Amino acid sequence: MKEGLNIKTDEDAEIVSLCKKGDVDAFETLVIKHQKKMLNIAYRMVGNYEDACEIVQDAFVSAYKAIKAFEEKSRFSTWLYTIVLNLSRNRLKQIKTQIHHEKFSLDDPILTDNGNIKAEPVSNEPSVLEKLEKKDIRQKVQSCISLLDNEFREVLVLRDIQGFSYDEIGVMLKIAEGTVKSRLFRARDAVKNCLKKIMGSL
């Protein structure tokens, strides 16, 4: 009755098998299937869309090159998202290094081919403002997530945003299930306190 709950069942197994034989179209199928979730994880980890897109692209290249060595001890998706997490960690380290070396103002002129132009809002149309208001809460949540240390951010993103099981998260991060739960509790508490400071009582 509970066959569907078998964690070792990998719905990508047949496609992965084709990929190992050099089937490029099969790999494209995996790209289409997983890219949205990968982008979401990367974005939640680094907080920047362009960086997240680059991470996902690099992750697929890495996965394609290494797929023949994939031992299938875990689900393909677990292996793939682990690559995304590792690349996200590396990108965060690069960002921290850059912040120490680069200082700029949002009011600085923008350099173009025709010279410098003053930075100005693109539009003041109500529809744009409405969209910004809708995104405001999501941005505040993301800013609080971005303040978390990596180890807490990872479990929060994987569990509360992506819906992975404690067991899957443990495999991805190579930590015990109890550690996953402990970090998740602390991460949720930190985000809740952060949002209270920004938005008042929740």
Side-chain angles (χ1 to χ4, degrees):
M1 287 289 194
K2 294 186 179 180
E3 291 170 357
L5 296 177
N6 187 351
I7 291 170
K8 292 185 180 178
T9 302
D10 189 351
E11 56 193 26
D12 293 323
E14 288 182 25
I15 304 172
V16 169
S17 180
L18 291 172
C19 292
K20 287 184 174 184
K21 294 173 184 173
D23 190 330
V24 178
D25 290 335
F27 192 78
E28 182 66 23
T29 301
L30 293 173
V31 170
I32 293 166
K33 180 179 178 182
H34 294 285
Q35 62 185 352
K36 189 174 180 181
K37 201 165 193 175
M38 289 172 68
L39 183 60
N40 198 315
I41 291 172
Y43 173 72
R44 293 293 184 172
M45 287 301 300
V46 300
N48 179 281
Y49 182 76
E50 286 75 21
D51 286 338
C53 289
E54 197 173 307
I55 287 165
V56 170
Q57 189 174 1
D58 290 347
F60 275 126
V61 170
S62 297
Y64 184 76
K65 288 178 179 177
I67 199 160
K68 288 182 180 178
F70 172 51
E71 296 178 356
E72 299 179 55
K73 291 178 180 177
S74 64
R75 290 181 182 179
F76 171 76
S77 57
T78 303
W79 179 69
L80 188 62
Y81 301 147
T82 303
I83 295 173
V84 175
L85 284 170
N86 288 332
L87 290 173
S88 296
R89 288 171 186 159
N90 293 340
R91 184 65 189 134
L92 285 168
K93 287 176 186 174
Q94 290 174 356
I95 291 168
K96 283 183 180 178
T97 303
Q98 286 174 358
I99 287 170
H100 289 299
H101 296 291
E102 296 176 10
K103 289 188 178 179
F104 62 91
S105 168
L106 291 174
D107 295 322
D108 285 347
I110 300 169
L111 184 64
T112 67
D113 293 336
N114 301 324
N116 292 338
I117 58 170
K118 186 70 177 170
E120 292 180 3
V122 177
S123 172
N124 288 322
E125 292 177 14
S127 60
V128 175
L129 292 174
E130 285 170 7
K131 287 177 184 178
L132 288 173
E133 284 174 8
K134 287 177 183 177
K135 289 182 178 179
D136 188 48
I137 292 175
R138 277 185 291 173
Q139 288 173 345
K140 285 174 180 173
V141 171
Q142 180 58 40
S143 67
C144 287
I145 291 172
S146 297
L147 290 173
L148 294 171
D149 288 340
N150 285 0
E151 61 184 15
F152 299 111
R153 188 185 316 168
E154 289 167 354
V155 293
L156 186 78
V157 169
L158 293 173
R159 177 64 182 171
D160 288 350
I161 296 173
Q162 296 300 329
F164 287 105
S165 69
Y166 293 117
D167 183 64
E168 287 173 314
I169 296 169
V171 170
M172 278 187 248
L173 301 180
K174 297 179 181 175
I175 56 176
E177 188 173 313
T179 306
V180 173
K181 291 179 179 178
S182 173
R183 288 183 185 177
L184 182 62
F185 175 81
R186 290 178 63 186
R188 285 172 174 166
D189 197 47
V191 169
K192 185 178 177 182
N193 290 333
C194 174
L195 288 171
K196 278 182 180 178
K197 288 176 184 175
I198 296 173
M199 302 173 68
S201 59
L202 296 175

